[in-house]
Amino acid sequence: MSLGLELRHRRLPGSAVAFVSDRLLAAANGGSLAIYDVPAQAHMCSHAAFDHARIHGIAAHPADTRVLVFGAKCWTVLRIHAADRQCVRIERLCSGARSDWIKAAHWVQDRSGRWLVALALAHGQIHVLGADDGSTHTEDACTEPCIAYAAAFSGRALDDLRVCVGTVFGDVLVRRVHAAPARVGGHDGAVFGVAFLDNGAIASVSDDRAVRVWGAGGDTALFGHRARVWACVDLGGGLLVSASEDGTCRLWRGAETVDVWAQCAKNVWAVAASPDRRAVAAVGGDGSLCVWPVRAGRRVETLDELQGVALPEPNGEPRVPEFTRGFALGWDAALLVANSGRVLRYEYERAAWLPVWEDPVLRGYAMVAGCAGLAAVGMRDGSLVLFLGDSNQRRRAQLHADAVRWVSVSPRNAGVFDVFTAGEDGQVV
């Protein structure tokens, strides 16, 4: 389930995405850059960054609302002016062009603290320019033949700057400014995406459908995608997200698949992590933009991997043996109704049961449905009880004369849900 923002414009394929902040998200369709408010699930404003080039990448400034956008041989620096949850305007600060295709862009500082723009080009060059005027600071050619398909930078200080390059020949290379490249590893096909990881390792994705992590102890191959893999992003803590031609994103912990997010029929082109790394945004070939919550549980592939969770013992006098009458799953917890009439919440991270409510009318009968943020319980007296969010707040309404036989809950947008019920008499509310 997406975190809330799920926009399917079905115009041009999404080509790049980046979080400007935990709230603001930048996404590209063709040469246009759009800004979204994630919690409000709203489009704020758009700007034509390039007239004759598709945006290939977006690098958000680590300290303010500037973004560095590049596509083909062009680059530009834009400032997003936002106030009161509204994007007032997007201001173009500086722009320029290179003699070769740009494969990655990065914000970096010199020793005086001045912000610069670092660009990785298609033949391994590293160009460093002034972010305010585009003046040349450094132009460094690669000492070995190299045709880059993808690149990524690491380091905010110019002296610490490193670039990782994935080549059309399947090589993964790393080098510093004014230094020869070192080969880290390789794939059995062109390398479409690379990323530096917090633990010092490097991740790469390829035409061979593999995600590989290159560390001091060797490489680890991650298999699961059914087609080519286009991009990857590090979430820290051993978590990694990959995006594929098969229309899905996969969340990995080590070599294990933690979750799979299905977005479109074909091609999730780019992914980005929010600054707090609790959400991942992805753009698809159908023009879709989705934001997914990061839940670092464990994906269950077989019934043998299921883990049983026993109900807590009830207080008071002994009752008949309890079993689950109905339940609804959310992001952080499950709501469960037992045949005894008890309503309980099970919080995944705490692995703990919390009592919510109890009603004799629920004994032996309950229809339960829900999603993240809302759960609904239909009762045999025709009433419906709504449980709100992660609290014990509830609302009760009498909707039918007889038992509620069916309940459905689905999110519409932030804080708004569609709830449908059907009674024994066939009436739908």
CSV table of all heavy atoms in Angstrom, one decimal, residues 179-222:
chain,number,residue,atom,x,y,z
A,179,ALA,N,42.6,11.1,-10.0
A,179,ALA,CA,43.1,9.8,-9.6
A,179,ALA,C,42.5,8.8,-10.6
A,179,ALA,O,41.5,9.0,-11.3
A,179,ALA,CB,42.6,9.4,-8.2
A,180,ALA,N,43.3,7.7,-10.8
A,180,ALA,CA,42.9,6.7,-11.7
A,180,ALA,C,41.7,5.9,-11.1
A,180,ALA,O,41.7,5.7,-9.9
A,180,ALA,CB,44.1,5.8,-12.1
A,181,PRO,N,40.8,5.3,-12.0
A,181,PRO,CA,39.7,4.5,-11.4
A,181,PRO,C,40.2,3.2,-11.0
A,181,PRO,O,41.1,2.6,-11.5
A,181,PRO,CB,38.8,4.5,-12.6
A,181,PRO,CG,39.6,4.6,-13.8
A,181,PRO,CD,40.7,5.5,-13.4
A,182,ALA,N,39.5,2.6,-10.0
A,182,ALA,CA,39.7,1.3,-9.5
A,182,ALA,C,38.5,0.4,-9.8
A,182,ALA,O,37.4,0.9,-9.6
A,182,ALA,CB,40.0,1.3,-8.0
A,183,ARG,N,38.7,-0.8,-10.3
A,183,ARG,CA,37.6,-1.6,-10.7
A,183,ARG,C,37.1,-2.3,-9.4
A,183,ARG,O,37.9,-3.1,-8.8
A,183,ARG,CB,37.9,-2.6,-11.7
A,183,ARG,CG,36.7,-3.5,-12.2
A,183,ARG,CD,37.2,-4.4,-13.3
A,183,ARG,NE,36.0,-5.1,-13.9
A,183,ARG,CZ,35.5,-6.2,-13.4
A,183,ARG,NH1,36.0,-6.8,-12.3
A,183,ARG,NH2,34.4,-6.8,-14.0
A,184,VAL,N,35.8,-2.1,-9.0
A,184,VAL,CA,35.3,-2.8,-7.9
A,184,VAL,C,34.7,-4.2,-8.2
A,184,VAL,O,34.9,-5.1,-7.5
A,184,VAL,CB,34.1,-1.9,-7.3
A,184,VAL,CG1,33.4,-2.6,-6.1
A,184,VAL,CG2,34.7,-0.6,-6.8
A,185,GLY,N,34.0,-4.3,-9.3
A,185,GLY,CA,33.4,-5.5,-9.7
A,185,GLY,C,32.8,-5.4,-11.1
A,185,GLY,O,33.0,-4.4,-11.8
A,186,GLY,N,31.9,-6.3,-11.4
A,186,GLY,CA,31.2,-6.3,-12.7
A,186,GLY,C,30.0,-7.1,-12.7
A,186,GLY,O,29.7,-7.9,-11.8
A,187,HIS,N,29.2,-6.9,-13.8
A,187,HIS,CA,28.0,-7.6,-14.1
A,187,HIS,C,28.1,-8.3,-15.4
A,187,HIS,O,29.0,-8.1,-16.2
A,187,HIS,CB,26.8,-6.7,-14.1
A,187,HIS,CG,26.3,-6.2,-12.8
A,187,HIS,ND1,25.3,-6.7,-12.1
A,187,HIS,CD2,26.8,-5.2,-12.0
A,187,HIS,CE1,25.1,-6.1,-10.9
A,187,HIS,NE2,26.0,-5.1,-10.9
A,188,ASP,N,27.1,-9.1,-15.7
A,188,ASP,CA,27.0,-9.8,-17.0
A,188,ASP,C,26.2,-9.0,-18.0
A,188,ASP,O,25.7,-9.5,-19.0
A,188,ASP,CB,26.4,-11.2,-16.9
A,188,ASP,CG,27.3,-12.1,-16.1
A,188,ASP,OD1,28.5,-12.0,-16.1
A,188,ASP,OD2,26.7,-13.0,-15.4
A,189,GLY,N,26.1,-7.7,-17.8
A,189,GLY,CA,25.4,-6.8,-18.7
A,189,GLY,C,25.7,-5.4,-18.3
A,189,GLY,O,26.4,-5.1,-17.3
A,190,ALA,N,25.1,-4.4,-19.0
A,190,ALA,CA,25.4,-3.0,-18.7
A,190,ALA,C,24.9,-2.7,-17.3
A,190,ALA,O,23.9,-3.2,-16.9
A,190,ALA,CB,24.6,-2.2,-19.8
A,191,VAL,N,25.6,-1.8,-16.7
A,191,VAL,CA,25.2,-1.4,-15.3
A,191,VAL,C,24.3,-0.1,-15.4
A,191,VAL,O,24.8,0.9,-15.9
A,191,VAL,CB,26.5,-1.1,-14.5
A,191,VAL,CG1,26.1,-0.6,-13.1
A,191,VAL,CG2,27.3,-2.3,-14.4
A,192,PHE,N,23.1,-0.2,-15.0
A,192,PHE,CA,22.1,0.8,-15.1
A,192,PHE,C,22.0,1.8,-14.0
A,192,PHE,O,21.5,2.9,-14.1
A,192,PHE,CB,20.7,0.3,-15.4
A,192,PHE,CG,20.6,-0.5,-16.7
A,192,PHE,CD1,20.0,-1.7,-16.7
A,192,PHE,CD2,21.2,0.0,-17.9
A,192,PHE,CE1,19.8,-2.4,-17.9
A,192,PHE,CE2,21.1,-0.7,-19.1
A,192,PHE,CZ,20.4,-1.9,-19.1
A,193,GLY,N,22.5,1.4,-12.8
A,193,GLY,CA,22.4,2.2,-11.6
A,193,GLY,C,23.5,1.8,-10.6
A,193,GLY,O,23.8,0.6,-10.4
A,194,VAL,N,24.0,2.8,-9.8
A,194,VAL,CA,25.0,2.6,-8.8
A,194,VAL,C,24.6,3.5,-7.6
A,194,VAL,O,24.0,4.5,-7.7
A,194,VAL,CB,26.4,2.8,-9.2
A,194,VAL,CG1,26.9,1.8,-10.2
A,194,VAL,CG2,26.6,4.2,-9.8
A,195,ALA,N,25.1,3.1,-6.4
A,195,ALA,CA,24.8,3.9,-5.2
A,195,ALA,C,25.9,3.6,-4.2
A,195,ALA,O,26.3,2.4,-4.0
A,195,ALA,CB,23.4,3.6,-4.6
A,196,PHE,N,26.3,4.6,-3.5
A,196,PHE,CA,27.2,4.4,-2.3
A,196,PHE,C,26.3,4.1,-1.1
A,196,PHE,O,25.3,4.7,-0.9
A,196,PHE,CB,28.0,5.7,-2.0
A,196,PHE,CG,29.2,5.9,-3.0
A,196,PHE,CD1,29.0,6.7,-4.1
A,196,PHE,CD2,30.4,5.2,-2.7
A,196,PHE,CE1,30.1,6.9,-4.9
A,196,PHE,CE2,31.4,5.4,-3.6
A,196,PHE,CZ,31.3,6.2,-4.7
A,197,LEU,N,26.7,3.1,-0.3
A,197,LEU,CA,26.0,2.8,0.9
A,197,LEU,C,26.6,3.3,2.2
A,197,LEU,O,27.8,3.6,2.2
A,197,LEU,CB,25.9,1.2,1.1
A,197,LEU,CG,25.3,0.5,-0.2
A,197,LEU,CD1,25.2,-1.0,0.1
A,197,LEU,CD2,24.1,1.1,-0.7
A,198,ASP,N,25.8,3.5,3.2
A,198,ASP,CA,26.3,4.1,4.5
A,198,ASP,C,27.5,3.3,5.1
A,198,ASP,O,28.4,3.8,5.7
A,198,ASP,CB,25.2,4.2,5.5
A,198,ASP,CG,24.3,5.4,5.2
A,198,ASP,OD1,24.6,6.2,4.3
A,198,ASP,OD2,23.2,5.5,5.9
A,199,ASN,N,27.4,2.0,4.9
A,199,ASN,CA,28.5,1.1,5.5
A,199,ASN,C,29.8,1.0,4.7
A,199,ASN,O,30.6,0.3,5.0
A,199,ASN,CB,27.9,-0.3,5.7
A,199,ASN,CG,27.5,-1.0,4.4
A,199,ASN,OD1,27.7,-0.4,3.3
A,199,ASN,ND2,26.8,-2.1,4.5
A,200,GLY,N,29.9,1.9,3.6
A,200,GLY,CA,31.1,1.9,2.8
A,200,GLY,C,31.0,1.0,1.6
A,200,GLY,O,31.9,1.1,0.8
A,201,ALA,N,30.0,0.2,1.5
A,201,ALA,CA,29.9,-0.7,0.3
A,201,ALA,C,29.3,0.1,-0.8
A,201,ALA,O,28.9,1.2,-0.7
A,201,ALA,CB,29.0,-1.9,0.7
A,202,ILE,N,29.2,-0.6,-2.0
A,202,ILE,CA,28.6,0.0,-3.2
A,202,ILE,C,27.6,-1.0,-3.7
A,202,ILE,O,27.8,-2.2,-3.8
A,202,ILE,CB,29.7,0.3,-4.2
A,202,ILE,CG1,30.7,1.4,-3.8
A,202,ILE,CG2,29.1,0.6,-5.6
A,202,ILE,CD1,31.9,1.6,-4.6
A,203,ALA,N,26.5,-0.5,-4.1
A,203,ALA,CA,25.4,-1.3,-4.8
A,203,ALA,C,25.3,-0.9,-6.2
A,203,ALA,O,25.5,0.2,-6.6
A,203,ALA,CB,24.1,-1.0,-4.1
A,204,SER,N,25.1,-1.9,-7.1
A,204,SER,CA,24.9,-1.7,-8.5
A,204,SER,C,23.8,-2.6,-9.0
A,204,SER,O,23.5,-3.7,-8.5
A,204,SER,CB,26.2,-2.1,-9.2
A,204,SER,OG,26.6,-3.4,-9.0
A,205,VAL,N,23.1,-2.1,-10.1
A,205,VAL,CA,22.0,-2.9,-10.7
A,205,VAL,C,22.3,-2.9,-12.2
A,205,VAL,O,22.9,-2.0,-12.7
A,205,VAL,CB,20.7,-2.3,-10.4
A,205,VAL,CG1,20.4,-2.3,-8.9
A,205,VAL,CG2,20.6,-0.8,-10.9
A,206,SER,N,21.7,-4.0,-12.8
A,206,SER,CA,22.2,-4.2,-14.2
A,206,SER,C,21.1,-4.9,-15.1
A,206,SER,O,20.0,-5.3,-14.7
A,206,SER,CB,23.4,-5.2,-14.1
A,206,SER,OG,23.8,-5.7,-15.3
A,207,ASP,N,21.6,-5.0,-16.3
A,207,ASP,CA,20.8,-5.7,-17.4
A,207,ASP,C,20.7,-7.1,-17.1
A,207,ASP,O,19.8,-7.8,-17.6
A,207,ASP,CB,21.6,-5.4,-18.7
A,207,ASP,CG,20.8,-6.0,-19.9
A,207,ASP,OD1,19.7,-5.7,-20.1
A,207,ASP,OD2,21.5,-6.8,-20.6
A,208,ASP,N,21.5,-7.7,-16.2
A,208,ASP,CA,21.5,-9.1,-15.9
A,208,ASP,C,20.4,-9.5,-14.8
A,208,ASP,O,20.4,-10.6,-14.3
A,208,ASP,CB,22.9,-9.6,-15.5
A,208,ASP,CG,23.4,-9.0,-14.3
A,208,ASP,OD1,22.7,-8.2,-13.6
A,208,ASP,OD2,24.6,-9.2,-13.9
A,209,ARG,N,19.6,-8.5,-14.4
A,209,ARG,CA,18.5,-8.7,-13.5
A,209,ARG,C,19.0,-8.8,-12.0
A,209,ARG,O,18.2,-9.1,-11.1
A,209,ARG,CB,17.6,-9.9,-13.8
A,209,ARG,CG,17.0,-9.9,-15.2
A,209,ARG,CD,16.1,-11.1,-15.4
A,209,ARG,NE,15.6,-11.1,-16.7
A,209,ARG,CZ,14.6,-11.9,-17.2
A,209,ARG,NH1,14.1,-12.8,-16.3
A,209,ARG,NH2,14.2,-11.9,-18.4
A,210,ALA,N,20.2,-8.5,-11.8
A,210,ALA,CA,20.8,-8.7,-10.5
A,210,ALA,C,21.0,-7.4,-9.8
A,210,ALA,O,21.3,-6.3,-10.4
A,210,ALA,CB,22.1,-9.5,-10.5
A,211,VAL,N,20.9,-7.4,-8.5
A,211,VAL,CA,21.4,-6.3,-7.6
A,211,VAL,C,22.6,-6.8,-6.9
A,211,VAL,O,22.6,-7.9,-6.3
A,211,VAL,CB,20.3,-5.9,-6.6
A,211,VAL,CG1,20.8,-4.8,-5.7
A,211,VAL,CG2,19.0,-5.5,-7.3
A,212,ARG,N,23.7,-6.1,-7.0
A,212,ARG,CA,25.0,-6.6,-6.3
A,212,ARG,C,25.5,-5.6,-5.4
A,212,ARG,O,25.4,-4.4,-5.6
A,212,ARG,CB,26.1,-6.9,-7.4
A,212,ARG,CG,25.8,-8.2,-8.2
A,212,ARG,CD,26.9,-8.5,-9.1
A,212,ARG,NE,26.6,-9.7,-9.9
A,212,ARG,CZ,26.9,-11.0,-9.4
A,212,ARG,NH1,27.4,-11.2,-8.3
A,212,ARG,NH2,26.6,-12.0,-10.2
A,213,VAL,N,25.9,-6.0,-4.2
A,213,VAL,CA,26.5,-5.2,-3.2
A,213,VAL,C,28.0,-5.6,-3.1
A,213,VAL,O,28.3,-6.7,-2.8
A,213,VAL,CB,25.8,-5.4,-1.8
A,213,VAL,CG1,26.4,-4.5,-0.8
A,213,VAL,CG2,24.3,-5.0,-2.0
A,214,TRP,N,28.8,-4.6,-3.3
A,214,TRP,CA,30.3,-4.8,-3.3
A,214,TRP,C,30.9,-4.2,-2.0
A,214,TRP,O,30.8,-3.0,-1.8
A,214,TRP,CB,30.9,-4.1,-4.5
A,214,TRP,CG,30.2,-4.4,-5.8
A,214,TRP,CD1,29.2,-3.8,-6.4
A,214,TRP,CD2,30.5,-5.6,-6.6
A,214,TRP,NE1,28.8,-4.4,-7.5
A,214,TRP,CE2,29.6,-5.5,-7.7
A,214,TRP,CE3,31.4,-6.6,-6.6
A,214,TRP,CZ2,29.6,-6.4,-8.8
A,214,TRP,CZ3,31.4,-7.5,-7.6
A,214,TRP,CH2,30.5,-7.4,-8.7
A,215,GLY,N,31.4,-5.1,-1.1
A,215,GLY,CA,32.0,-4.6,0.1
A,215,GLY,C,33.4,-5.2,0.4
A,215,GLY,O,33.9,-5.9,-0.5
A,216,ALA,N,33.9,-4.9,1.5
A,216,ALA,CA,35.2,-5.4,1.8
A,216,ALA,C,35.3,-6.9,1.8
A,216,ALA,O,36.4,-7.5,1.5
A,216,ALA,CB,35.7,-4.8,3.2
A,217,GLY,N,34.3,-7.6,2.2
A,217,GLY,CA,34.3,-9.0,2.2
A,217,GLY,C,33.9,-9.7,0.9
A,217,GLY,O,33.7,-10.9,0.9
A,218,GLY,N,33.8,-8.9,-0.2
A,218,GLY,CA,33.4,-9.5,-1.5
A,218,GLY,C,32.1,-9.0,-1.9
A,218,GLY,O,31.6,-7.9,-1.4
A,219,ASP,N,31.4,-9.7,-2.9
A,219,ASP,CA,30.2,-9.2,-3.4
A,219,ASP,C,29.0,-10.1,-3.0
A,219,ASP,O,29.2,-11.3,-2.8
A,219,ASP,CB,30.2,-9.0,-4.9
A,219,ASP,CG,30.2,-10.3,-5.6
A,219,ASP,OD1,31.2,-11.1,-5.5
A,219,ASP,OD2,29.2,-10.6,-6.3
A,220,THR,N,27.8,-9.6,-2.9
A,220,THR,CA,26.6,-10.3,-2.6
A,220,THR,C,25.6,-10.0,-3.7
A,220,THR,O,25.4,-8.9,-4.1
A,220,THR,CB,26.0,-9.9,-1.3
A,220,THR,OG1,26.9,-10.1,-0.2
A,220,THR,CG2,24.7,-10.7,-1.0
A,221,ALA,N,25.1,-11.1,-4.4
A,221,ALA,CA,24.2,-11.0,-5.5
A,221,ALA,C,22.8,-11.2,-4.9
A,221,ALA,O,22.5,-12.1,-4.2
A,221,ALA,CB,24.5,-12.0,-6.6
A,222,LEU,N,21.9,-10.2,-5.3
A,222,LEU,CA,20.5,-10.3,-4.9
A,222,LEU,C,19.6,-10.5,-6.1
A,222,LEU,O,19.6,-9.7,-7.0
A,222,LEU,CB,20.1,-9.0,-4.2
A,222,LEU,CG,21.1,-8.4,-3.2
A,222,LEU,CD1,20.5,-7.1,-2.6
A,222,LEU,CD2,21.3,-9.3,-2.0
